[in-house]
Each structure stands twice: as C-alpha cells, then as structure tokens.
Amino acid sequence: VEGDLHVEGDINMHDLPAKGEDIASVLIVTGDLTCDRLINSWAGAVLVGGNLTVHDVFVNSFENACASVLGAVSVYFYHGQDTWLEVGGAARFQYGDGYALPRGFRDARKERTEPVHDALASYAAYGFEEGPQWQRSGAFLGALHRGELPFRP
C-alpha cells in the first residue's frame, strides 16, 4: 500500500493462504498503519514505513515471521513470543508477551521495550489465569483463531 492504511477491523494475514499451501504473506505500507487487530503469518512480514497503531491485539509470534516499523508503535496487546518487533521510533505495549527492539540494536537485553504489564498479568486481563505462561499463550491464541477472544478488556 502506498501511503497510509487505516482499517476499522482486523487484518488477518494468517488466514490468507489456502489450506495446505505453503505461502508467506507480506504486508507493506509506506505510511502509517492503523487497525483493531493485526495477525501475521508463518514466515510472514509486516513492513511499515510510518507509525503502527493496533487498538487491540497484534500477533507476530509465528516461526520465521518478522515485523519492522520505521516510526513509532502503539499496541494494546503485543503477542510476539520468540519474535521481536523492530522499531525506528518509540514503542509502547500496554499488555503482551513479547518485546520490541530498536533498529540497529546492539544489546537486546538492555535495549528491549517490554509491555507495561508482564505476560502473566496480560493473559489474566483476558481471562486466562490458569496454568503456566505457555499454556495461557496457547489458550489465548486458540481463542483468537476461533473468534472467541473478546476485544480489549
């Protein structure tokens, strides 16, 4: 997309390939990207030339997925287990299970931006209070993919 993309609703790249196809999804927006929910895909790429605002959930925790934003990032709940979000500006996550790193980072432990609330508190905010972190994560993603995850608590 050349310029800004503002979606009142979801962008779900995970469900784009037909069942059984092994195709990565790529979303490139040269300006700002705003939506309610953003779901990346296996080996998918989200590339934003401006700012990224996700009002509810951004799921980026897929094998070989990547996301890079040249501007600032504001996401209510960032789910990026084992996959970071690369940012050129400031990053802010209210809730989540993951982190952002600045472009050109040298020390991931020192330079990472984490959510205001840790992973366990984040899952609990959506009602997933039982079990260890990995179980809560699986329940959260399962509910999201089944369309059962409520919007922001």
Side-chain angles (χ1 to χ4, degrees), residues 6-71:
H6 302 286
V7 176
E8 290 184 19
D10 303 347
I11 299 173
N12 186 347
M13 297 166 52
H14 185 265
D15 291 343
L16 287 178
K19 204 169 206 164
E21 289 184 346
D22 189 18
I23 299 172
S25 302
V26 178
L27 174 63
I28 300 171
V29 179
T30 62
D32 296 340
L33 172 59
T34 304
C35 61
D36 292 331
R37 291 181 174 173
L38 176 58
I39 303 172
N40 202 344
S41 65
W42 303 104
V46 176
L47 308 171
V48 180
N51 299 321
L52 172 65
T53 302
V54 180
H55 299 296
D56 192 24
V57 176
F58 177 17
V59 178
N60 191 44
S61 55
F62 297 102
E63 189 173 320
N64 297 323
C66 71
S68 181
V69 178
L70 293 179

Side-chain angles (χ1 to χ4, degrees), residues 85-148:
L85 170 61
E86 183 180 66
V87 297
R92 178 162 170 78
F93 312 126
Q94 188 67 28
Y95 292 94
D97 188 355
Y99 56 92
L101 289 170
R103 294 179 55 82
F105 72 92
R106 294 191 182 275
D107 188 335
R109 288 184 192 263
K110 291 181 182 176
E111 298 177 64
R112 63 198 280 159
T113 300
E114 296 184 346
V116 172
H117 302 281
D118 69 16
L120 294 179
S122 296
Y123 292 127
Y126 278 85
F128 301 99
E129 301 179 57
E130 301 295 323
Q133 184 173 335
W134 65 270
Q135 281 182 328
R136 294 180 193 199
S137 173
F140 177 89
L141 291 174
L144 178 69
H145 290 297
R146 290 188 305 274
E148 299 169 358

